Amino acid sequence: MKRKVTFPHFGDYCIPLEFLVTRGLEMDYVTPPPMTKRTLELGAKYSPDYVCAPFKYNLGSYIEAIECGADMLVQTGGACRLGYYGELHEQILRDLGYRFDFVNLARADYSKPYTLLAEFKKVNPDFSVAKVAAALLSAVKMAECMDRVDDYVRRNIGFEVENGSFEAEKQRFLSDLRRCETKKDVTAAFQQCMDNMKAIPTEKPKKPIKVAIVGEYYTIMDPFSNHNIEREMAKMGMVIERWMNLSNSMFHYPEKEIARKIRGYSKYNMGATSMATIDVALTCAKKGYDGIIHVKSFGCTPEMDSIPVLQNISSDYKIPILYFSFDSQTGDTGIQTRLEAFYDMIVMRKRA
Ligand code: SF4
């Protein structure tokens, strides 16, 4: 019997992951249910109290995927203590009595693809390298196209004439992606989506308010974890810029160049996404953006370390920065109030 593979829920990226597992590794895939309050409650209930929120989200997501039939869990690892989370997740889930196989990609070295192949072998010992390679290329293309669509949505959704037009088109695109078989299909679906989006009527002022969003990898990319902050901001009538996404962080992250660009503000790499956070904030400040929003999960040390640097950028370039730290206790109302106050302050500054 085929094993049922799952990854923890991570925004819409479950679509390329499903493609890689089903077409490349030729295994069944269980899409973890969308994140809800229950996911977070489950994760928080069985996690150490002071661990950062992505740990809790991932744990809750594993439990819900197991409930849906998954019996092979995959952990991707990461550039911070996320790399150690796999062992802990596995142990907690085993202590809870669940039965599953656990593949921890943190054991592989992403810069050496053959080490990844060794981990893939644990998912399916008979996998075909050619099929995995072809599926991987299509999955990467999917992630790139999804990121470009999201960029376009963030810049324009705040100005749509008919409420919901961009979201409807994006959902159509995601459904098309689920039906794609090849990289060519992905490119065609993307092109169609972009053509449709460009035809959506908008009323965008000549000089709209521009706000950049920077911060921690997981929180910034997972709308549930950040309380859909981008959409809330965009709805107020702003252009939202976000550099951090899967394709940029994996394929367009010139670490040495970034280190050189931010040297005046930070001499050391403080880990995880901190360098990108500082780099994007500095670039946007230099470009004259109206504000920056920094998001992180509670307890995220790399992003905590970048806050004093952001404060220096804010003071040097006179750009306001709003800081959000999310955990399992954060409520929507406080976020909305702070966003509205931030928006009003930007509008007042612009008028002055
Ligand atoms: S970057 Fe921060 S929040 Fe994300 S997993 Fe690492 S320590 Fe946790």
Side-chain angles (χ1 to χ4, degrees):
M1 202 177 70
K2 270 193 196 174
R3 313 303 305 274
K4 293 189 175 68
V5 180
T6 195
F7 287 76
H9 199 279
F10 187 25
D12 296 321
Y13 293 122
C14 52
I15 298 173
L17 287 173
E18 175 171 5
F19 188 89
L20 177 64
V21 170
T22 55
R23 312 300 205 287
L25 293 163
E26 300 182 289
M27 302 289 284
D28 287 341
Y29 181 78
V30 172
T31 305
M35 298 276 213
T36 60
K37 211 164 161 267
R38 178 179 184 263
T39 321
L40 185 52
E41 279 169 4
L42 276 173
K45 185 173 172 188
Y46 299 116
S47 297
D49 234 14
Y50 281 95
V51 77
C52 58
F55 184 99
K56 299 173 187 173
Y57 288 118
N58 283 0
L59 186 62
S61 185
Y62 279 137
I63 294 175
E64 291 190 321
I66 292 172
E67 289 169 353
C68 292
D71 57 9
M72 182 171 274
L73 316 182
V74 186
Q75 167 64 258
T76 53
C80 59
R81 52 187 148 156
L82 191 62
Y84 304 106
Y85 283 177
E87 279 88 350
L88 256 181
H89 279 142
E90 183 181 356
Q91 195 54 54
I92 292 172
L93 291 167
R94 294 210 188 284
D95 289 348
L96 288 172
Y98 294 112
R99 298 179 62 159
F100 55 88
D101 283 328
F102 198 85
V103 177
N104 191 350
L105 297 183
R107 296 202 180 103
D109 178 348
Y110 280 68
S111 65
K112 296 177 186 143
Y114 65 88
T115 61
L116 267 177
L117 292 182
E119 293 303 319
F120 285 154
K121 259 196 183 320
K122 293 178 190 162
V123 181
N124 177 2
D126 305 319
F127 79 93
S128 142
V129 175
K131 279 187 183 165
V132 167
L136 194 58
L137 289 177
S138 300
V140 167
K141 185 76 190 164
M142 274 185 191
E144 272 176 356
C145 292
M146 286 165 61
D147 289 340
R148 286 179 62 188
V149 165
D150 275 337
D151 282 345
Y152 193 85
V153 172
R154 276 191 288 273
R155 287 177 195 143
N156 293 285
I157 193 169
F159 311 98
E160 63 189 0
V161 173
E162 197 182 323
N163 221 351
S165 322
F166 278 100
E167 190 53 41
E169 186 49 44
K170 185 188 154 178
Q171 290 309 323
R172 234 189 318 273
F173 169 62
L174 295 180
S175 308
D176 288 348
L177 275 190
R178 288 191 178 95
R179 286 191 291 272
C180 287
E181 291 293 335
T182 61
K183 205 171 148 192
K184 212 169 143 200
D185 296 342
V186 176
T187 308
F190 169 66
Q191 207 46 60
Q192 182 65 57
C193 171
M194 290 310 288
D195 290 347
N196 294 348
M197 282 197 173
K198 283 175 188 161
I200 292 175
T202 54
E203 282 172 354
K204 200 170 183 176
K206 266 197 177 141
K207 286 192 176 170
I209 290 176
K210 284 172 92 172
V211 169
I213 178 158
V214 298
E216 187 264 326
Y217 196 78
Y218 187 89
T219 312
I220 203 172
M221 284 195 246
D222 185 64
F224 183 80
S225 312
N226 63 41
H227 297 245
N228 227 334
I229 200 169
E230 286 174 354
R231 290 296 151 87
E232 292 303 320
M233 287 156 63
K235 272 198 275 176
M236 293 175 195
M238 298 186 238
V239 169
I240 309 298
E241 286 291 342
R242 159 154 72 84
W243 178 87
M244 180 58 74
N245 57 37
L246 194 66
S247 45
N248 279 344
S249 63
M250 289 192 78
F251 310 113
H252 312 288
Y253 191 79
E255 207 173 311
K256 281 191 183 143
E257 194 189 321
I258 290 177
R260 185 185 50 73
K261 275 162 68 188
I262 65 170
R263 195 163 299 140
Y265 285 92
S266 171
K267 282 188 191 152
Y268 307 103
N269 180 356
M270 293 175 286
T273 40
S274 58
M275 277 171 71
T277 295
I278 296 165
D279 177 45
V280 175
L282 184 58
T283 306
C284 292
K286 285 180 178 169
K287 281 186 181 167
Y289 274 55
D290 298 292
I292 293 173
I293 294 201
H294 177 250
V295 297
K296 70 172 187 63
S297 111
F298 170 77
C300 172
T301 37
E303 288 299 326
M304 244 187 278
D305 290 341
S306 59
I307 288 178
V309 183
L310 295 182
Q311 285 167 339
N312 287 340
I313 294 174
S314 170
S315 141
D316 290 352
Y317 289 88
K318 309 286 175 261
I319 182 168
I321 304 184
L322 180 62
Y323 300 92
F324 281 102
S325 188
F326 299 101
D327 71 2
S328 43
Q329 309 294 325
T330 313
D332 286 335
T333 323
I335 297 168
Q336 187 64 25
T337 312
R338 293 184 65 205
L339 280 179
E340 281 168 12
F342 190 63
Y343 173 78
D344 290 345
M345 184 264 296
I346 289 177
V347 172
M348 279 191 279
R349 270 170 59 100
K350 252 182 133 61
R351 282 198 195 121

